[in-house]
Amino acid sequence: MATFHVPETLDEALSLLAELEDTMVYGGGTAIQILLKQGILFTEHFIDISRVPGLREISADSDGVAVGPLVTLRQMETDARVRSVAPLASSTYAEVANPRVRNTASVAGNIAHGDYRLDPPTALVVLDATVQLSSVRGQREVSAREFFVDFQVTEVQHDEMITGIRIPKQPSTAGAFVKYSSLAENDWPCASAAVLAVPGDASGEPTEVRIGLGALAPTTRYLAIDIDPGTTDQDAVDAAIDIANTAIDPIEDIRGSATYKAHLGRVAVEEAVRAVMKELQDA
Ligand SMILES: Cc1cc2nc3c(=O)[nH]c(=O)nc-3n(C[C@H](O)[C@H](O)[C@H](O)COP(=O)(O)OP(=O)(O)OC[C@H]3O[C@@H](n4cnc5c(N)ncnc54)[C@H](O)[C@@H]3O)c2cc1C
């Protein structure tokens, strides 16, 4: 039977993580509860951080938004500061599962879960977010692009806890997230793509299109292509699909074969790139 520890301070939580063997931080519990019910989780110690003060804050400045680990996915969807500073993040969090899950799940639990199908990481990599990791050894910042290491493997070490996510101000409004699910609309995706056009110089002209892929490889993948004012929609789509093809390596499961997911992945990339190119032309 697992023991639940309910620390009252961050120092206490980090000490428990350092001292005990076989621990898991308990965030919203939406992933942990499912694994427990399925009988495939045998962790001895859960560190429930719900009573640690200051972990549910969102703060924004001109450079971006700082998000506490226990901020819910629903807050990311609805908070006016997040919607204004990083609208692509906001609209991507809004696509996760259903309101019941989004009201309970936390931003840190979401990324620490490390599932290759997660939606928010696709936006976090294109927005160049950073993850703050804390332990009794100190604090470190890891780029979201380095955070997702491999299948169910993230940068979080056994004695570490995610204590924040920082999302820089979105460099342009030309962003889009497209997700395809094969079983039900609010089910896990079998392919997703977040795309963002980024100005590379003072002229404000976009020079780069960033692409985050979800559910299409053993972990979230990040890619980018160069564009210039002469790049047509079709040029951008072709270049994005070419580079996406180098990363698409789907895992076959009940939601579809590898071939089916790869096809949907290319459709998602095309749809998101076309939306972004249209936004650039309309701006
Ligand atoms: C029915 C259902 C449908 C879903 N559909 C989708 C979907 O369409 N798209 C999608 O992206 N996701 C989907 N999910 C997954 C959902 O996003 C995750 O379950 C959720 O985000 C996990 O957050 P949590 O706070 O509940 O994590 P928890 O269950 O508390 O923890 C999950 C993992 O994160 C670790 N963890 C938690 N907090 C921290 C921390 N601060 N520091 C370090 N480690 C931590 C835990 O130890 C555990 O390993 C779905 C989940 C359900 C139940």
Side-chain angles (χ1 to χ4, degrees):
M1 186 77 172
T3 308
F4 260 78
H5 304 263
V6 192
E8 305 269 346
T9 66
L10 182 59
D11 283 350
E12 205 187 320
L14 298 181
S15 297
L16 286 166
L17 285 171
E19 287 158 16
L20 297 171
E21 297 269 320
D22 195 12
T23 55
M24 275 182 107
V25 175
Y26 193 92
T30 59
I32 288 174
Q33 286 298 337
I34 284 186
L35 297 173
L36 286 172
K37 281 184 193 145
Q38 288 172 338
I40 53 174
L41 190 61
F42 302 101
T43 303
E44 281 183 31
H45 300 280
F46 287 107
I47 317 295
D48 175 348
I49 55 173
S50 59
R51 287 203 204 144
V52 175
L55 302 185
R56 298 172 196 275
E57 316 288 325
I58 296 177
S59 61
D61 57 31
S62 54
D63 294 333
V65 62
V67 180
L70 286 180
V71 167
T72 65
L73 310 192
R74 178 77 175 146
Q75 279 175 278
M76 294 300 283
E77 173 188 354
T78 56
D79 186 275
R81 292 158 296 181
V82 181
R83 290 171 79 120
S84 149
V85 171
L88 178 60
S90 193
S91 58
T92 305
Y93 278 102
E95 295 293 324
V96 175
N98 53 55
R100 218 169 121 205
V101 170
R102 294 200 295 279
N103 271 322
T104 312
S106 66
V107 291
N110 179 264
I111 57 171
H113 189 37
D115 193 293
Y116 66 100
R117 301 162 299 177
L118 293 169
D119 299 313
T122 62
L124 295 178
V125 294
V126 299
L127 287 163
D128 202 12
T130 49
V131 181
Q132 184 185 64
L133 294 168
S134 300
S135 70
V136 292
R137 295 175 286 122
Q139 243 178 36
R140 64 189 180 115
E141 308 277 333
V142 178
S143 162
R145 295 173 190 169
E146 315 281 320
F147 181 85
F148 303 98
V149 177
D150 205 342
F151 181 76
Q152 298 281 4
V153 181
T154 70
E155 262 291 326
V156 183
Q157 303 303 305
H158 74 278
D159 62 341
E160 285 181 317
M161 182 180 135
I162 298 168
T163 43
I165 299 177
R166 175 148 189 101
I167 307 174
K169 184 172 171 50
Q170 190 167 314
S172 85
T173 54
F177 175 70
V178 173
K179 163 177 177 174
Y180 283 108
S181 304
S182 54
L183 298 184
E185 199 190 352
N186 59 8
D187 184 43
W188 286 92
C190 54
S192 69
V195 170
L196 180 70
V198 180
D201 55 35
S203 74
E205 289 290 346
T207 56
E208 184 183 53
V209 170
R210 299 176 182 168
I211 304 158
L213 300 179
L216 288 165
T219 191
T220 307
R221 297 300 306 269
Y222 172 70
L223 309 150
I225 58 167
D226 293 332
I227 59 167
D228 60 41
T231 305
T232 65
D233 294 9
Q234 194 58 49
D235 290 342
V237 166
D238 291 344
I241 288 180
D242 278 351
I243 201 163
N245 277 332
T246 65
I248 291 177
D249 179 19
I251 298 173
E252 185 162 319
D253 60 19
I254 54 160
R255 289 174 176 85
S257 67
T259 309
Y260 173 72
K261 290 184 182 184
H263 173 71
L264 274 191
R266 288 188 281 273
V267 173
V269 168
E270 171 162 0
E271 201 175 309
V273 170
R274 285 201 189 279
V276 162
M277 295 301 282
K278 181 168 187 319
E279 174 82 27
L280 289 175
Q281 282 144 20
D282 292 349

